[in-house]
Amino acid sequence: NLDGRFNRIVQKHRDWKDFDRHPMMRTKLLNSGQAKLVILDATPYGPTELYNGKLVGNRMNGSFVGDKFAFVSISALISRVDENIDQGLIPPPPKPAPLSPAQVHDIQTCDAETNRSMFVMYAGNGRSGLNAKFHERFDGGARNSYFPLNDNEKIFAARPFRADFNKSKLSRRSYEDNLRDTVFALAPRGDQKYSFRFAEVLSAGAIPVVHADDWVWPFRPEVMDWSKCAVNLPEKDAGNTTIAYLESISEEERCKRRQYCYNYIYKNYCETTEGTIRGIIEGLELVSTEEKPMKLWGVRCDEFDDPEACNLQRRRHLAG
């Protein structure tokens, strides 16, 4: 994280015409073709909006400037990154839920599939971008679709600090305790494409359920296979369609997903900052040796028969 220094450089060279003249871009190492400048982009809009939409065009054309970058972004869109080198950044967990030895043992033995008392939970606000037309068509969007389904027995979905939350069993325990006691936990996109709940869910040994159309998932697919861990469905399928899908997953399959999520992904790459950096570097090293890097995993808007059924909008309109 360059603490705004790089952003100031970009503001000064906004049109990218003379960006290659900056001393940072003229080091021998960068010009040798053997290294790239890796930018950890924690802005909510992804690299192309922060830099006025010009960088990706330059990179795709093999320009002098663009060829030197690799972005690791918390909220980028698949359609606006270079799939051959870029990757997602894991959102840091504000409230991790570390497990007790007994809870870890339940994951290893598959007892978590029967010992956890909640099937699926979500505690949070209902914001999921500004696409009112999409929300009206698809029952409120990635978050609001779940609140009407709350039954306080199997499905727990409520907004904290509201009357419906006070009536929910979720209010009787801490957020962390609830996460540790649910089979699945919802981590749908919010104002932007990422959710801080995502890493919290992983820390609690729950299986994350994500709705974030076109989002670039954390790390390179050469490092980890998210399809072995998370449930990733389009934003339009939030609500009843997703619940039906979760119910169709067998206990055996749930156990495999939970073990991969917790043992391989969380413990190795998400629990510590050192693990996260190691995962990023491993991904960069792998794509540098691959003749054909793997495609990024996620819900891809360009594969929808109905373009309006994919929600690209975020807190502000896309630039570029």
Side-chain angles (χ1 to χ4, degrees):
N1 189 331
L2 300 180
D3 294 328
R5 178 183 170 202
F6 182 72
N7 191 33
R8 289 194 296 273
I9 294 170
V10 171
Q11 294 298 322
K12 184 177 179 181
H13 302 276
R14 179 170 286 277
D15 61 4
W16 293 92
K17 290 180 180 177
D18 59 349
F19 187 69
D20 58 301
R21 299 176 193 168
H22 192 278
M24 185 171 67
M25 297 302 300
R26 299 184 68 80
T27 64
K28 291 182 179 179
L29 187 60
L30 280 179
N31 285 306
S32 70
Q34 298 177 347
K36 290 184 183 291
L37 178 64
V38 180
I39 300 174
L40 301 184
D41 170 37
T43 64
Y45 309 113
T48 58
E49 293 183 12
L50 179 62
Y51 308 131
N52 205 27
K54 298 181 182 297
L55 178 59
V56 163
N58 286 343
R59 296 167 82 200
M60 297 309 180
N61 293 329
S63 75
F64 176 77
V65 178
D67 189 49
K68 296 181 179 180
F69 290 95
F71 275 98
V72 184
S73 302
I74 199 171
S75 191
L77 299 179
I78 297 174
S79 55
R80 295 192 168 226
V81 299
D82 184 345
E83 289 199 50
N84 292 322
I85 188 66
D86 292 341
Q87 58 185 293
L89 179 65
I90 187 80
K95 293 184 178 181
L99 301 180
S100 68
Q103 290 164 333
V104 173
H105 180 265
D106 279 354
I107 291 176
Q108 314 308 347
T109 60
C110 296
D111 287 343
E113 310 317 315
T114 53
N115 287 349
R116 294 189 173 217
S117 68
M118 296 189 293
F119 183 67
V120 62
M121 69 153 283
Y122 172 73
N125 63 53
R127 299 196 306 268
S128 54
L130 297 177
N131 195 340
K133 185 182 295 185
F134 179 90
H135 295 159
E136 181 178 358
R137 180 179 174 187
F138 296 107
D139 300 323
R143 296 187 175 189
N144 281 319
S145 298
Y146 288 99
F147 297 128
L149 304 181
N150 177 69
D151 59 15
N152 228 16
E153 294 181 3
K154 183 177 181 179
I155 302 170
F156 298 82
R159 303 172 180 86
F161 312 114
R162 293 198 181 188
D164 59 344
F165 185 79
N166 294 332
K167 297 176 184 178
S168 170
K169 290 181 181 178
L170 294 176
S171 66
R172 301 174 190 173
R173 298 185 298 184
S174 70
Y175 171 68
E176 294 87 344
D177 282 341
N178 285 321
L179 278 181
R180 286 186 280 255
D181 193 33
T182 188
V183 175
F184 296 99
L186 296 164
R189 57 76 55 87
D191 289 331
Q192 314 306 334
K193 286 298 178 179
Y194 69 98
S195 170
F196 288 115
R197 288 169 183 79
F198 185 67
E200 294 172 342
V201 171
L202 292 172
S203 75
I207 299 172
V209 180
V210 177
H211 304 294
D213 295 349
D214 218 42
W215 181 47
V216 178
W217 281 63
F219 306 107
R220 287 291 311 180
E222 290 84 357
V223 174
M224 64 189 62
D225 184 354
W226 282 109
S227 70
K228 294 180 179 179
C229 163
V231 174
N232 180 38
L233 295 172
E235 293 179 38
K236 70 178 180 63
D237 291 338
N240 283 310
T241 300
T242 295
I243 297 299
Y245 178 76
L246 299 181
E247 291 173 335
S248 72
I249 300 175
S250 68
E251 287 188 7
E252 180 182 3
E253 175 63 21
R254 280 167 21 193
C255 181
K256 290 178 180 178
R257 285 177 180 266
R258 194 179 318 282
Q259 290 173 346
Y260 188 83
C261 280
Y262 187 76
N263 296 338
Y264 181 70
I265 295 180
Y266 181 71
K267 297 300 288 184
N268 287 324
Y269 300 110
C270 304
E271 187 174 34
T272 66
T273 302
E274 292 79 6
T276 298
I277 296 299
R278 184 174 66 253
I280 292 170
I281 293 173
E282 285 180 13
L284 292 168
E285 290 176 341
L286 287 170
V287 296
S288 69
T289 59
E290 293 280 341
E291 290 187 11
K292 188 176 181 181
M294 297 174 65
K295 291 180 66 175
L296 297 176
W297 189 64
V299 173
R300 309 174 75 93
C301 286
D302 58 7
E303 295 180 356
F304 276 57
D305 294 331
D306 177 5
E308 292 186 357
C310 198
N311 185 18
L312 278 172
Q313 288 196 25
R314 293 180 278 182
R315 189 64 181 171
R316 70 179 186 184
H317 293 297
L318 294 173

